[in-house]
Amino acid sequence: MSSHIVGYPRIGPKRELKFALESFWDGKSSADDLRKIAADIKSSTWKQMADVGITYIPSNTFSYYDQVLDTTAMVGAVPHRYEWNGGEIGFDTYFSMARGNAFVPAMEMTKWFDTNYHYIVPELAPDTKFTYASRKAVSEYKEAKELGIDTVPVLIGPVSYLLLSKPAKGVDKSFSVLSLLGSILPVYKEVITELKAAGASCIQFDEPTLVLDLESHQLQAFTDAYSELESSLSNINVLVATYFADVSAEAYKTITALEGVSGCAFDFIRGTKTLDLIKNVGFPSDKYLFAGVVDGRNIWANDLAASLDVLTSLGSIVKKDKIVVSTSCSLMHTAVDLVYETKLDSEIKSWLAFAAQKVIEVNALAKALVGQKDEAFFFKNACAQAARKSSPRVTNKEVQEAAAALRGSDHRRATIVSIRLDRQQKNLNLPILPTTTLGSFPQTMDLRRVRREYKANKISREEYVKSIKEEINKVVKLQEELDIDVLSHGEPERNDMVEYFGEQLSGFAFTVNGWVQSYGSRCVKPPIIYGDVSRPKAMTVFWSSMAQSMTTRPMKGMLTGPVTILNWSFVRNDQPRSSQLPICQCHSFIRE
């Protein structure tokens, strides 16, 4: 029986890291205080996985800000504008790169593949000098070992690190980041040597760029890199992990042939074609297959029977003792622990699994694969799966009929742009270059308090409306004083641009502690779309009408679009994304 977790959330079940970071940045706590909170989060995570029985427990997946930034620190790729004179990179330099300071801007941040997480983009140049400048991976391995837990240190692989980088400002366009491969590998060799000396028996290299559409020379870089590292990787197990999508036939051939690599991890939730590749092409008999059958990106309980079927089918190609049950990707993209959701609807809660529960699922599947199936656990899971499929709360006949009735013309405007512009101008009489704002105004502490008290039934509806009305009146007057042409009401009644609308739509559920890291200390609490979405009542008319009554200038209606709502939510896994927020709902928004 072998089980593996690609990675785990690092924010803590109640955002402990967020609050510790912000306290440290505000000068209210010390670096030692921050390290203490971090140590508590790491130790509880490792112990949790060890107690469940996970075979391959990851370390170095914790980060004070971002795992790619951690790699930048590890290889000493600090841009010239930051004051760093060599040696071990400390918090000052690390957080300056992440957040900037009074003198220099932060490094660029962008989406981590197609997730809602953001990473700090490395800036590289032909003269970048790589040096071993952060021993975090080694220190975390030792930290876990002192607790009696042997972990698998996780590193962003050298080729993916380079491919996820960008040329520094002013660098010649002909420069290729891959030209630095020979320069960065010596640092990786140093890290590997220290990890081996510390007692590590396995190292995981995350190479997620293998799922991208790579050119032949980029694929060759993987072969070259691991051939160069092979001697350093002797006498140690090496796992190369990909995730988020299928790998191409060429990438599959590359990854399964890498020198010195004893295991390959694939995402079988989004990588169904990769699964077909393994079945049709085969898999090396001397390597371990880490099968990502537990979804690391969503919060639904796995269909354990279906997952076991996949694993069993793989068992006809790969020896069972060479199969390791794993998550499809790091669990950092899901919420931390369902146990803290004491207010969530019990029926919906029975359909869910957060990171802590997914760890249990992985281990249960690994046991079942070798004949140690927990019948009671599988039966309970099957009952929950069946209940969800048959629940009347999931299926709304009216929504399905409305979506089925949509035609191609419903996705296009009925009038051409020039006609709409002419009518708009006659109606609004705007200047040639009208001014407006994006919409939302700052959410003050008093405003948050009023919403919080109203939600807790500490103030009446009348008191709440009065407070919000006063705030709207303030921003309306301010915009008129500034001579803004098209006004907004400031959105003081809204807690979040997605959550506010989701709370008023059927088919949505909301958590109390279902937080997910977006970047650094920024966490979001995605709504859960569990059923067909409908709009029981008007959502914006009351406040927009109130705001319009305060001015003779045009007042915008503020709506979060359906695509953004979909992409910022935990979506259903029982139907395509395109079916989950029908465009007819957007029409109903506009009709308000």
Side-chain angles (χ1 to χ4, degrees):
M1 183 204 81
S2 291
S3 52
H4 166 256
I5 305 298
V6 177
Y8 199 83
R10 59 260 193 145
I11 60 174
K14 294 186 176 180
R15 296 181 293 164
E16 289 86 351
L17 181 61
K18 168 190 173 63
F19 300 122
L21 282 169
E22 293 174 355
S23 176
F24 173 69
W25 293 336
D26 289 342
K28 297 177 181 177
S29 59
S30 67
D32 286 341
D33 293 330
L34 177 58
R35 292 189 186 97
K36 174 63 168 61
I37 296 295
D40 290 344
I41 293 172
K42 287 181 283 186
S43 64
S44 64
T45 297
W46 294 325
K47 288 176 181 177
Q48 173 194 345
M49 285 189 263
D51 290 344
V52 168
I54 298 298
T55 315
Y56 299 97
I57 299 171
S59 61
N60 199 41
T61 56
F62 173 86
S63 177
Y64 286 103
Y65 205 94
D66 165 56
Q67 70 271 15
V68 181
L69 180 62
D70 291 350
T71 309
T72 294
M74 182 184 81
V75 300
V78 180
H80 295 309
R81 64 181 177 274
Y82 301 102
E83 293 184 4
W84 178 62
N85 298 315
E88 187 84 4
I89 290 178
F91 280 156
D92 285 349
T93 303
Y94 180 84
F95 288 128
S96 290
M97 290 191 289
R99 308 175 67 235
N101 56 46
F103 307 101
V104 292
M107 296 170 69
E108 179 187 334
M109 185 166 58
T110 195
K111 288 263 191 177
W112 178 246
F113 294 81
D114 64 343
T115 72
N116 286 328
Y117 177 77
H118 301 73
Y119 76 95
I120 303 296
V121 183
E123 301 172 16
L124 304 178
D127 62 348
T128 298
K129 304 297 182 185
F130 297 110
T131 181
Y132 190 11
S134 171
R135 285 166 169 75
K136 175 178 175 292
V138 177
S139 64
E140 280 200 18
Y141 174 78
K142 291 179 177 178
E143 195 176 339
K145 195 172 183 180
E146 288 178 359
L147 297 171
I149 302 171
D150 189 37
T151 60
V152 178
V154 179
L155 305 173
I156 299 292
V159 182
S160 287
Y161 175 76
L162 294 176
L163 290 177
L164 292 168
S165 303
K166 70 171 187 177
K169 187 176 181 180
V171 170
D172 189 274
K173 292 182 179 179
S174 63
F175 169 67
S176 168
V177 290
L178 282 180
S179 65
L180 298 174
L181 183 59
S183 301
I184 200 172
L185 290 178
V187 177
Y188 274 85
K189 289 181 179 180
E190 288 187 72
V191 178
I192 293 166
T193 299
E194 283 199 7
L195 285 171
K196 288 170 66 175
S201 58
C202 182
I203 298 177
Q204 174 180 321
F205 291 94
D206 282 5
E207 294 282 11
T209 55
L210 278 163
V211 304
L212 301 179
D213 186 13
L214 301 177
E215 298 179 12
S216 58
H217 76 280
Q218 294 172 319
L219 286 173
Q220 183 62 41
F222 290 94
T223 301
D224 295 343
Y226 288 89
S227 294
E228 177 66 24
L229 292 174
E230 183 183 8
S231 59
S232 300
L233 294 170
S234 61
N235 301 317
I236 192 171
N237 290 312
V238 178
L239 166 64
V240 172
T242 71
Y243 35 77
F244 296 149
D246 286 298
V247 294
S248 66
E250 294 78 11
Y252 179 74
K253 181 179 178 181
T254 297
I255 188 174
T256 54
L258 291 176
E259 298 289 344
V261 172
S262 49
C264 305
F266 298 106
D267 180 342
F268 289 149
I269 299 298
R270 292 195 165 199
T272 53
K273 292 180 181 178
T274 302
L275 186 60
D276 291 337
L277 268 176
I278 293 172
K279 292 178 178 178
N280 297 329
V281 178
F283 188 79
S285 60
D286 62 335
K287 295 184 187 295
Y288 287 87
L289 174 60
F290 286 69
V293 295
V294 172
D295 194 349
R297 289 190 58 170
N298 215 326
I299 41 66
W300 301 106
N302 239 49
D303 184 335
L304 296 181
S307 296
L308 187 57
D309 286 344
V310 172
L311 293 167
T312 302
S313 68
L314 287 171
S316 64
I317 305 162
V318 184
K319 289 183 178 180
K320 283 187 178 180
D321 61 358
K322 290 287 188 179
I323 297 176
V324 182
V325 182
S326 184
T327 54
S328 64
C329 62
S330 172
L331 296 174
M332 66 177 285
H333 304 291
T334 189
V336 181
D337 195 339
L338 192 59
V339 73
Y340 294 101
E341 296 305 321
T342 56
K343 297 181 180 180
L344 190 62
D345 178 282
S346 59
E347 182 183 23
I348 294 173
K349 188 175 180 178
S350 70
W351 304 339
L352 306 179
F354 290 179
Q357 288 69 46
K358 290 177 184 292
V359 169
I360 296 171
E361 289 180 338
V362 167
N363 207 56
L365 286 166
K367 285 184 175 181
L369 186 61
V370 294
Q372 301 172 25
K373 185 177 179 182
D374 185 336
E375 296 291 351
F377 187 71
F378 271 71
F379 178 74
K380 183 178 180 181
N381 175 266
C383 290
Q385 297 292 325
R388 181 182 168 205
K389 288 178 182 178
S390 62
S391 174
R393 302 175 67 181
V394 172
T395 304
N396 184 318
K397 185 178 179 181
E398 291 182 2
V399 171
Q400 294 193 348
E401 289 177 349
L406 288 172
R407 299 166 297 175
S409 59
D410 291 318
H411 298 271
R412 297 187 296 271
R413 295 288 188 94
T415 56
I416 62 176
V417 175
S418 58
I419 293 176
R420 294 201 305 273
L421 288 174
D422 182 61
R423 290 177 180 174
Q424 181 186 70
Q425 183 58 25
K426 288 179 179 177
N427 184 43
L428 302 179
N429 193 30
L430 296 172
I432 295 175
L433 291 174
T435 56
T436 188
T437 67
L438 188 60
S440 57
F441 275 62
Q443 297 267 331
T444 65
M445 295 297 291
D446 284 342
L447 201 52
R448 294 177 191 273
R449 176 186 54 77
V450 167
R451 283 206 311 269
R452 188 167 58 248
E453 290 179 350
Y454 175 59
K455 193 170 185 179
N457 295 318
K458 292 181 178 180
I459 60 174
S460 66
R461 170 71 180 176
E462 291 74 20
E463 292 173 299
Y464 173 70
V465 170
K466 180 182 178 183
S467 295
I468 299 299
K469 183 176 181 180
E470 289 173 355
E471 185 66 24
I472 292 174
N473 193 44
K474 286 180 187 177
V475 300
V476 168
K477 287 184 176 179
L478 174 61
Q479 291 172 91
E480 287 182 331
E481 290 171 6
L482 296 172
D483 201 23
I484 301 297
D485 297 304
V486 180
L487 312 189
S488 72
H489 75 291
E491 306 179 15
E493 79 285 5
R494 304 184 186 183
N495 48 5
D496 175 85
M497 66 182 294
V498 172
E499 187 171 5
Y500 175 77
F501 288 101
E503 286 176 336
Q504 300 183 77
L505 293 167
S506 65
F508 278 80
F510 296 87
T511 62
V512 175
N513 287 296
W515 298 99
V516 179
Q517 184 182 26
S518 178
Y519 61 87
S521 69
R522 167 67 173 165
C523 301
V524 294
K525 191 155 55 71
I528 299 169
I529 303 177
Y530 68 84
D532 293 335
V533 177
S534 64
R535 182 185 64 108
K537 60 182 181 180
M539 300 181 291
T540 62
V541 171
F542 179 78
W543 300 113
S544 295
S545 299
M546 176 188 290
Q548 185 64 79
S549 69
M550 298 175 181
T551 181
T552 58
R553 303 188 184 204
M555 177 65 64
K556 290 193 295 187
M558 306 300 299
L559 299 168
T560 300
V563 176
T564 295
I565 291 177
L566 182 69
N567 287 336
W568 287 11
S569 300
F570 285 123
V571 299
R572 293 168 64 176
N573 62 352
D574 59 345
Q575 60 177 214
R577 292 173 66 90
S578 58
S579 304
Q580 296 191 31
L581 197 59
I583 200 68
C584 59
Q585 295 310 318
C586 185
H587 290 174
S588 71
F589 291 172
I590 294 169
R591 283 199 298 271
E592 289 190 7

